[in-house]
């Protein structure tokens, strides 16, 4: 009886060791594939960031850096160098520079995996006119693949829109929505 019990337990232990080996092999395979995919994605986003950052800033350089040795455990740090400034982390930039750097990263991700639409909520608020124009140019180029819905109080940003939807408050507590189709408005102006 003891021998039968030992044989049964040995078979159970062998099954457990086989299951452990199968799981460890699966984990190694998943880690290997994840490292490769993450490395490719990191390189693609970094290359796109290096292209879009100078487009938004009118020069300069930006890159993503891993903050650890192991890519699966590492964090990311954005190093940004606007034109005329020393290379620094994003924490040392002004509000407008942070906004443009964040936009260049978001647009880099959108280039890699375009979404059907993107909602931008007053991202142009800290920007001056020159930076707003570069932002508008990039949004126009990206709008070929993605529909942009943006909230803005900036005249330059509103000029690039195809449709405007505004909210007004004619009397206290009563909001009213006003919509304008820019293309139709321009046609009406030309016929008048």
């Amino acid at each position: 009886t003891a021998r039968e019990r030992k044989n049964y337990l040995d078979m159970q232990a062998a099954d457990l060791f086989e299951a452990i080996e199968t799981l460890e092999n699966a984990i190694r395979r998943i880690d290997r594939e994840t490292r490769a995919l993450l490395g490719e994605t990191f390189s693609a986003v970094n290359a796109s960031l290096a292209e879009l950052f100078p487009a938004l800033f009118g020069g300069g350089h930006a890159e993503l850096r891993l903050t650890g040795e192991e890519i699966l455990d590492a964090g990311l740090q954005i190093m940004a160098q606007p034109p005329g400034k020393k290379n620094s982390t994003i924490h040392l930039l002004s509000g407008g520079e942070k906004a443009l750097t964040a936009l260049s990263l978001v647009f880099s991700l959108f280039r890699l995996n375009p979404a059907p639409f993107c909602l931008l909520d007053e991202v142009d608020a800290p920007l001056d006119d020159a930076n707003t124009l570069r932002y508008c140019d990039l949004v126009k180029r990206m709008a070929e693949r993605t529909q942009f819905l943006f909230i803005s109080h900036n005249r330059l940003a509103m000029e690039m829109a195809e449709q405007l939807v505004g909210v007004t408050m004619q009397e206290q507590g009563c909001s009213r929505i006003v919509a304008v189709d820019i293309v139709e408005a321009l046609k009406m102006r030309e016929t008048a």
Side-chain angles (χ1 to χ4, degrees):
T1 305
R3 200 174 295 135
E4 285 178 15
R5 180 76 176 146
K6 182 186 180 316
N7 287 340
Y8 172 76
L9 291 175
D10 286 344
M11 287 176 21
Q12 292 293 315
D15 284 348
L16 285 174
F17 287 127
E18 185 180 335
I20 288 171
E21 186 177 340
T22 302
L23 283 173
E24 287 174 345
N25 288 336
I27 290 169
R28 281 191 290 276
R29 190 187 84 247
I30 290 169
D31 282 353
R32 190 172 48 251
E33 290 172 3
T34 304
R35 272 187 200 91
L37 186 58
L38 187 55
E40 291 170 15
T41 303
F42 176 80
S43 296
V45 170
N46 213 1
S48 187
L49 179 66
E51 180 185 332
L52 292 177
F53 183 87
L56 278 170
F57 276 89
H61 174 74
E63 67 177 316
L64 295 174
R65 290 187 183 164
L66 294 173
T67 60
E69 296 297 320
E70 170 57 46
I71 193 168
L72 295 179
D73 297 329
L76 284 178
Q77 185 176 32
I78 300 175
M79 298 303 290
Q81 183 179 1
K85 290 198 171 185
K86 288 199 290 187
N87 200 10
S88 62
T89 65
I90 193 168
H91 303 293
L92 301 177
L93 300 177
S94 71
E97 290 168 337
K98 285 179 183 177
L100 286 177
T101 303
L103 280 170
S104 56
L105 178 60
V106 168
F107 287 165
S108 296
L109 294 169
F110 264 75
R111 271 185 161 181
L112 182 67
N113 189 11
F117 71 93
C118 176
L119 176 63
L120 302 170
D121 187 3
E122 295 190 47
V123 296
D124 57 352
L127 304 181
D128 60 11
D129 285 351
N131 287 326
T132 301
L133 286 173
R134 285 194 292 271
Y135 155 73
C136 290
D137 288 340
L138 187 58
V139 168
K140 285 178 192 174
R141 281 190 282 151
M142 298 288 290
E144 295 171 3
R145 299 176 76 186
T146 300
Q147 181 178 10
F148 285 90
L149 306 169
F150 57 93
I151 299 163
S152 179
H153 297 283
N154 190 309
R155 175 187 53 83
L156 295 171
M158 286 187 246
E159 286 175 1
M160 80 165 162
E162 293 176 8
Q163 289 193 356
L164 289 175
V165 177
V167 179
T168 64
M169 191 179 299
Q170 291 179 333
E171 55 185 82
Q172 190 64 26
C174 288
S175 297
R176 191 173 133 223
I177 294 178
V178 179
V180 177
D181 185 334
I182 302 299
V183 175
E184 285 297 317
L186 289 174
K187 285 180 186 175
M188 289 174 58
R189 184 183 79 178
E190 288 174 8
T191 56

